[in-house]
Amino acid sequence: DAKTTQPNSMESNEEEPVHLPCNHSTISGTDYIHWYRQLPSQGPEYVIHGLTSNVNNRMASLAIAEDRKSSTLILHRATLRDAAVYYCILLITSGTYKYIFGTGTRLKVLA
Amino acid sequence: EAGVAQSPRYKIIEKRQSVAFWCNPISGHATLYWYQQILGQGPKLLIQFQNNGVVDDSQLPKDRFSAERLKGVDSTLKIQPAKLEDSAVYLCASSWVSYNEQFFGPGTRLTVL
């Protein structure tokens, strides 16, 4: 199964940018890179996704390496409400489309 | 739009008992997923439905777990009999189609004593 590798935890100061890295060296050419986050006692929620190009939305930016073996989720100004577990996931597009979740990065935001 | 609904939110049972979880996806979503999330781990896909047909159940322990999605809308997940290692949060998610973003419900926290 395709796999992603993320740091177990990271800390950031409030109102500063946060860069959450992810390695996915086994990615195939048609697999999408998705990011979800999970707030305490809630189900995961979608953040952003991309295939080859960098992507921006109201929540975050996604920077994808040229060889696609790594990506970085960028939160431009962290708030206390951004404290969550962030999952970098590959959407496998061969066969049935499905997510393979890793253990994620627990982001702590300091006031 | 209303989100994914799940019930119950919490359930405590003894080992060897049976339990069932219910999920109502977002209206119009064709794809429905059940995940198991053990404490400290990411969600693991148990079963994926496309309308009322099973697309992937490769990680469903079929000797004790079963799931159905009658009429392609609501779904139930059953465990019979439960084991201690089934203690987890069971998450339901839905999406328009299988490659769109998934919307997750709040989950059901199961404790097996």
Side-chain angles (χ1 to χ4, degrees), chain A residues 1 34 36 38 41-46 87 91 96-99 101-103, chain B residues 9 35 37 41-43 45 48 55-56 58 91 98-102 104-105:
Chain A
D1 283 340
H34 284 231
Y36 280 70
Q38 188 169 24
S41 300
Q42 295 187 26
E45 66 173 346
Y46 169 83
Y87 294 101
L91 176 62
T96 60
Y97 289 69
K98 65 180 180 182
Y99 288 143
F101 280 82
T103 52
Chain B
R9 291 296 312 277
Y35 290 87
Q37 186 172 26
Q41 299 181 17
L45 179 68
Q48 177 179 338
V55 174
D56 187 333
S58 57
L91 294 160
S98 59
Y99 49 83
N100 281 152
E101 67 177 278
Q102 296 182 18
F104 284 79

Side-chain angles (χ1 to χ4, degrees), chain A residues 3 5-7 15 26-27 33 36 38 41-42 45 50 53 55 63 67-68 71 74 85 95-96 100-101 103 109:
Chain A
K3 197 172 175 182
T5 305
Q6 300 176 254
E15 298 190 7
T26 61
I27 192 170
I33 302 158
Y36 280 70
Q38 188 169 24
S41 300
Q42 295 187 26
E45 66 173 346
S53 304
V55 184
D67 63 4
R68 300 206 330 124
S71 61
I74 303 165
V85 178
T96 60
I100 307 293
F101 280 82
T103 52
V109 180

Side-chain angles (χ1 to χ4, degrees), chain B residues 69-104:
Chain B
R69 190 184 184 196
L70 299 176
K71 301 180 181 177
V73 183
D74 292 7
S75 177
T76 56
L77 176 70
K78 296 179 182 178
I79 307 175
Q80 181 179 356
K83 292 185 175 181
L84 296 177
E85 59 261 36
D86 298 332
S87 293
V89 175
Y90 291 84
L91 294 160
C92 179
S94 69
S95 62
W96 286 106
V97 289
S98 59
Y99 49 83
N100 281 152
E101 67 177 278
Q102 296 182 18
F103 294 84
F104 284 79

